Amino acid sequence: MSKVQGTPVANLSAVQPSLAKSLRKRKGPGLRDVSIRENNAPNKWRFIRWGFLIFINFLFFASFYFDIQILEGSLSASRLLGFHMADPFASFQIMLASQLVKVNLVIGMVTVVIIYIILGGRFFCSWVCPYHLLAEFGEMLHKSLIKKKIIKKNHVFDRNIKYYFYAIFLILSLVTGYTAFEVINPVSMLSRLFVYGPGIILLWVVFLLAFEVLYSRRAWCRYFCPVGVSYNLIGWVSPFKIKWNINKCSNCKKCQRVCMVPFVLQETVNKGKAEYVVSGECTRCGLCIDACEDGALKYNIRYLDKLI
Amino acid sequence: MANQKVEKGKLTRRNFFKGSTLVMIGGAIAYGAASVPALRSEELLLRPPGALEEDLFLASCIKCGQCLQVCPPQIIMLAKIDQGFGLGTPYIVPREGACILCKGLPCVLACPTGSLNHDISEGSEAEMGLAVISKPETCLSIKGKDDLVYELENLRDSKQSMEPEKLSTILTRLINKLTSDELEQWKQKWQLEEISVQTISQVLAKLDKEHISWLVDFTTGTQQAAEACKICLETCPIKEENPIVFETRKDAQSGKEYVIPVVQKTCVGCGVCEMECPTPEPSITIVPRLKWKEETA
């Protein structure tokens, strides 16, 4: 690393002025010092992800309308080929509110935890959650409105609010004996909408999206959603992560520009301290992989490469 | 000056950050505390069989809709926000579609949280509510009127065109109740070789408004018309011990004798009687969660 940072830029500018210019601009630990970029498919993972998300939500729809019994129920609880699955946050709320521990619910919860340890925690958010898809379009709209100066600025909240929400709604479940969050949960709301038809409560989803587009970018997913918190916690222990190759990175920071939770890349791309994007906030959406023209970011299974 | 400006900007931003966090946390707590009394619905909804006691049911339902997916007659619906407390919780409107207490209760088996209690396995064990004669003044049984005659008369007098589906069920029920002599009469009238499902559609094809008057007269003359409507009992899915018993009572004032359906302990509140009741407004309705007592009868 020190070698590159010490490259005599002054001498280089005489031989290769363009490269010297690109090196001077660079701020960060990446080691790549050629400006030749690998040709990448710019939207590969995005489209695979959208396809997967729509397919999963279609399965819910298909189970009800065409009686194709692969994935029945909705995102709060379902059955995959007959095996129970239950959202961890909803399950916790129910156990606290009803003060009953039912075997099926525990089995469903454990199944979901195991599945998302394999798939990578907040993989749920970007690959399964229907609200995420809407919010993604909302984010695009928000960015273009800012670019056109129709909106002055993006308002940033405290990222920890969602952890407070997680605790508050669990405590409220215990105290009031009612799962209050489920009434304002846009994830299960949208999931039910696909299967069982819409209701007036959809105005709440519209309100949230409007808030995100006009006031604070990606507010629900970033700052508030306690459903994602469960998957966030699972994400820390999941070995399925984004791997960063310091030798290929030229520090263009394009990954950070497209990332939906940009701070997760700090330890790697900004500081060069870690080989993997370790944070549980990472949704494994693959936008950074698509954006990286150096091929420095890849999906990888941590520890596995060391074993082999 | 420039430095001051930056500091000022930083401060307001930090204040916004802290302030907004507190507002959000406060909002969440306030919402949670306020939503419980605010969203509580006045009217109880009729829940699917096996539902836990209402408060516990609301606490434990995960709102996934799996009960609705497996429901063979597809009569379970999910509550909307304007229906009070339980957004996304399952309920039944018996007049539109009643629970038929399927064998093995698939909705109960599908429930992942035990909100529909897995302790029950048969419809007869359910405690959804109780049937109540809510409009004795219209009840055909109390009036002493046969339901088939009543329905055919309605058809004759109404100006709307006949619904073939409804007529077909009426005719099927009529034929099932006819004596052998009456069946012969029926065959002669419609020039039929035998009586079966196909012949009903043959009869339906020939039927027009004038024939309905003949049907009314014919049905009034049959033996089964001597007995008043008992459709609530006939359609009841509980067969072992009759949930409805027809008792003969005497009117205290006029001294007239009349027959009245009396709901028994075995009624589970499935609502089929409410669905099938022939009067325009159902004379028998389900009161959700009501428990049977000696006095109610």
Side-chain angles (χ1 to χ4, degrees):
Chain A
M1 216 156 80
S2 56
K3 250 186 197 173
V4 173
Q5 274 162 354
T7 314
V9 177
N11 296 348
L12 202 75
S13 59
V15 195
Q16 245 180 311
S18 60
L19 175 60
K21 211 176 164 190
S22 76
L23 276 178
R24 213 180 286 126
K25 269 188 187 167
R26 178 193 302 163
K27 287 173 195 161
L31 291 182
R32 190 171 185 134
D33 48 22
V34 281
S35 49
I36 305 155
R37 293 274 162 98
E38 276 172 35
N39 202 7
N40 248 6
N43 280 317
K44 181 184 157 196
W45 285 108
R46 185 202 293 264
F47 289 139
I48 293 176
R49 182 163 56 83
W50 284 358
F52 184 85
L53 191 151
I54 291 166
F55 176 67
I56 290 284
N57 285 286
F58 174 75
L59 284 183
F60 284 123
F61 174 81
S63 73
F64 191 48
Y65 280 88
F66 310 123
D67 211 22
I68 300 168
Q69 291 166 349
I70 301 170
L71 191 57
E72 295 165 275
S74 68
L75 279 179
S76 45
S78 61
R79 234 178 258 219
L80 177 64
L81 301 169
F83 290 98
H84 276 295
M85 302 221 280
D87 179 73
F89 185 56
S91 308
F92 279 139
Q93 284 181 77
I94 280 167
M95 286 179 196
L96 289 171
S98 66
Q99 292 172 25
L100 293 170
V101 179
K102 294 282 180 176
V103 183
N104 280 345
L105 196 59
V106 176
I107 291 173
M109 216 172 83
V110 172
T111 311
V112 164
V113 170
I114 291 171
I115 285 178
Y116 284 99
I117 283 178
I118 296 164
L119 292 178
R122 283 191 72 196
F123 180 94
F124 170 85
C125 298
S126 66
W127 288 74
V128 178
C129 176
Y131 183 79
H132 187 281
L133 186 62
L134 295 181
E136 241 181 296
F137 295 129
E139 187 177 3
M140 288 174 192
L141 190 59
H142 173 89
K143 279 181 174 170
S144 79
L145 287 179
I146 284 213
K147 217 176 181 181
K148 287 177 191 160
K149 304 223 162 105
I150 294 170
I151 299 167
K152 272 186 197 148
K153 65 165 192 168
N154 171 34
H155 293 78
V156 179
F157 292 97
D158 184 352
R159 286 202 307 272
N160 292 325
I161 293 176
K162 55 179 175 284
Y163 301 108
Y164 300 136
F165 271 23
Y166 200 78
I168 287 169
F169 282 113
L170 285 184
I171 293 166
L172 276 171
S173 299
L174 182 67
V175 174
T176 64
Y178 180 57
T179 53
F181 179 73
E182 291 307 307
V183 178
I184 54 164
N185 182 353
V187 182
S188 62
M189 220 177 267
L190 278 173
S191 183
R192 275 198 304 272
L193 154 101
F194 294 142
V195 193
Y196 314 115
I200 200 167
I201 193 70
L202 264 186
L203 289 176
W204 169 245
V205 177
V206 174
F207 168 77
L208 284 178
L209 282 170
F211 182 77
E212 292 187 0
V213 171
L214 301 174
Y215 191 76
S216 175
R217 183 188 307 162
R218 256 353 237 291
W220 181 262
C221 305
R222 270 187 203 174
Y223 313 119
F224 306 132
C225 183
V227 178
V229 169
S230 317
Y231 298 102
N232 179 346
L233 301 176
I234 298 167
W236 286 94
V237 295
S238 167
F240 182 69
K241 288 185 193 304
I242 305 279
K243 189 183 184 182
W244 175 63
N245 189 338
I246 190 169
N247 294 314
K248 282 187 171 180
C249 176
S250 65
N251 261 287
C252 63
K253 299 278 164 57
K254 282 193 175 164
C255 47
Q256 278 195 341
R257 238 169 285 148
V258 297
C259 184
M260 294 189 266
V261 270
F263 57 91
V264 303
L265 288 163
Q266 264 175 15
E267 294 297 305
T268 53
V269 183
N270 271 7
K271 296 183 186 162
K273 280 184 184 164
E275 199 183 358
Y276 284 90
V277 176
V278 286
S279 172
E281 296 256 28
C282 172
T283 67
R284 277 79 163 169
C285 66
L287 283 180
C288 57
I289 301 175
D290 285 345
C292 183
E293 291 173 9
D294 299 326
L297 293 158
K298 288 248 144 58
Y299 282 124
N300 212 318
I301 295 164
R302 205 183 185 184
Y303 311 122
L304 191 73
D305 46 356
K306 275 179 191 146
L307 269 175
I308 297 164
Chain B
M1 272 302 277
N3 273 347
Q4 258 182 352
K5 252 188 188 170
V6 170
E7 235 165 64
K8 242 186 178 176
K10 258 189 184 170
L11 262 176
T12 49
R13 191 173 174 180
R14 195 178 296 158
N15 282 345
F16 172 78
F17 205 66
K18 265 189 179 172
S20 63
T21 308
L22 286 176
V23 167
M24 291 300 166
I25 291 173
I29 295 173
Y31 157 73
S35 68
V36 177
L39 291 172
R40 189 175 286 274
S41 125
E42 294 285 312
E43 231 171 279
L44 284 175
L45 297 170
L46 183 64
R47 303 297 183 183
L52 298 170
E53 170 261 316
E54 186 72 7
D55 279 343
L56 206 53
F57 177 79
L58 287 169
S60 60
C61 176
I62 201 165
K63 302 151 177 91
C64 64
Q66 287 187 69
C67 47
L68 175 161
Q69 293 221 341
V70 297
C71 177
Q74 302 267 305
I75 48 93
I76 302 178
M77 293 178 274
L78 293 184
K80 304 267 197 273
I81 189 70
D82 47 342
Q83 275 160 315
F85 214 22
L87 170 72
T89 52
Y91 74 103
I92 294 167
V93 178
R95 188 64 173 172
E96 287 166 21
C99 172
I100 56 170
L101 303 173
C102 314
K103 206 169 162 44
L105 298 176
C107 50
V108 174
L109 288 176
C111 182
T113 64
S115 269
L116 306 181
N117 199 344
H118 293 225
D119 293 346
I120 73 162
S121 55
E122 283 308 324
S124 54
E125 297 166 77
E127 287 175 348
M128 300 163 73
L130 203 68
V132 169
I133 311 295
S134 52
K135 282 204 169 71
E137 65 274 16
T138 58
C139 177
L140 294 179
S141 189
I142 297 174
K143 281 182 176 172
K145 189 155 188 78
D146 178 51
D147 54 306
L148 287 170
V149 176
Y150 174 83
E151 296 215 44
L152 286 166
E153 276 175 358
N154 275 355
L155 275 177
R156 184 190 60 191
D157 301 338
S158 84
K159 289 192 176 83
Q160 286 161 344
S161 57
M162 297 179 289
E163 293 167 53
E165 223 169 272
K166 198 177 173 187
L167 204 50
S168 150
T169 44
I170 293 174
L171 290 189
T172 315
R173 283 196 18 238
L174 175 66
I175 286 167
N176 285 336
K177 284 177 174 179
L178 294 180
T179 59
S180 50
D181 285 351
E182 287 160 357
L183 277 175
E184 281 307 313
Q185 229 181 310
W186 181 263
K187 275 186 201 168
Q188 268 177 19
K189 167 75 186 171
W190 301 105
Q191 293 152 3
L192 299 171
E193 308 261 301
E194 50 171 354
I195 304 280
S196 69
V197 186
Q198 282 82 21
T199 59
I200 287 177
S201 50
Q202 277 179 34
V203 172
L204 271 179
K206 289 180 194 168
L207 258 175
D208 55 31
K209 275 267 174 185
E210 280 162 36
H211 285 116
I212 299 278
S213 301
W214 177 84
L215 264 176
V216 172
D217 296 339
F218 172 77
T219 315
T220 319
T222 56
Q223 249 179 47
Q224 64 91 29
E227 231 178 30
C229 170
K230 276 186 179 174
I231 197 163
C232 41
L233 178 65
E234 282 163 20
T235 53
C236 182
I238 306 271
K239 296 292 177 207
E240 298 82 40
E241 225 174 312
N242 285 350
I244 296 173
V245 169
F246 290 87
E247 282 180 12
T248 313
R249 290 190 188 167
K250 226 176 200 171
D251 193 79
Q253 284 179 344
S254 63
K256 250 187 174 180
E257 272 195 357
Y258 63 95
V259 174
I260 183 169
V262 180
V263 178
Q264 304 295 306
K265 206 179 172 181
T266 45
C267 172
V268 300
C270 67
V272 173
C273 50
E274 182 180 334
M275 178 171 69
E276 297 290 349
C277 184
T279 55
E281 292 284 313
S283 304
I284 187 166
T285 46
I286 303 295
V287 178
R289 305 275 180 191
L290 186 66
K291 294 265 187 302
W292 190 86
K293 278 186 218 138
E294 206 72 52
E295 307 91 78
T296 23

